[in-house]
Amino acid sequence: MAEYKSAETPLKASAEAVYRKLSNLEGLKELLTRVPEDQIPADQRDLFNQIQITADTISFPAGPVGNLTLKLTEKVEPTYIRLEGVGAPVPMALMLHIHPSTEVSCSAQVEVDIKIPAMLKPMVSGPLNKMVTQFAEMLRNLPFE
């Protein structure tokens, strides 16, 4: 498995608040509807608007592979959330590590583990690194409280 990790991103909410909102995917849906449009980069708005969320899955466009669906498979309150790819062309998982800082702040790190053939790794490493970084930055703009 290849691992791609974002830098730790500081969040202006407690670890418990972040966990509570993100471990319940329907809570995430509510958060996404409250993100101000000017906080979404213009080149990402179409992708953002195509995100579909149920109680335990999130689906979004993933370029040439079509839609990608992630299913909530593991939670450890208040520090860890794991989603695994369903029907993905290769085994993959997305993890969110939440690190408590103070009673009103924490940091989060996004990690993607994906099994990709060695010959494809040079082609997908850049986009995957960019994706985990963008996801971590998107968390910074979500209103958790």
Side-chain angles (χ1 to χ4, degrees):
M1 294 284 253
E3 270 184 13
Y4 300 92
K5 292 182 180 181
S6 72
E8 284 201 34
T9 302
L11 304 177
K12 295 177 184 175
S14 68
E16 291 79 9
V18 172
Y19 175 85
R20 193 171 42 251
K21 288 291 187 179
L22 297 180
S23 65
N24 170 359
L25 295 183
E26 289 180 329
L28 176 61
K29 184 177 188 176
E30 180 225 333
L31 279 176
L32 293 178
T33 63
R34 293 177 24 207
V35 173
E37 184 142 331
D38 65 338
Q39 295 293 317
I40 305 166
D43 64 333
Q44 298 295 314
R45 285 188 189 131
D46 188 43
L47 170 70
F48 186 83
N49 291 328
Q50 293 180 53
I51 297 171
Q52 297 179 349
I53 300 173
T54 68
D56 64 347
T57 64
I58 181 168
S59 298
F60 51 91
V65 298
N67 275 356
L68 180 60
T69 298
L70 298 173
K71 182 175 177 69
L72 186 59
T73 58
E74 186 179 357
K75 303 186 283 186
V76 178
E77 188 172 356
T79 59
Y80 182 73
I81 301 167
R82 180 182 177 95
L83 301 122
E84 293 187 13
V86 176
V90 293
M92 65 163 302
L94 181 135
M95 285 79 61
L96 179 63
H97 303 275
I98 304 165
H99 306 282
S101 300
T102 69
E103 289 184 16
V104 295
S105 68
C106 67
S107 63
Q109 183 177 40
V110 177
E111 177 183 355
V112 170
D113 284 349
I114 186 167
K115 186 174 183 176
I116 52 176
M119 65 184 218
L120 293 179
K121 192 172 181 179
M123 291 187 298
V124 299
S125 288
L128 284 170
N129 277 321
K130 183 178 179 184
M131 181 193 78
V132 296
T133 299
Q134 286 178 333
F135 185 47
E137 288 299 316
M138 178 193 71
L139 292 174
R140 187 183 309 225
N141 296 319
L142 294 177
F144 289 104
E145 303 287 347

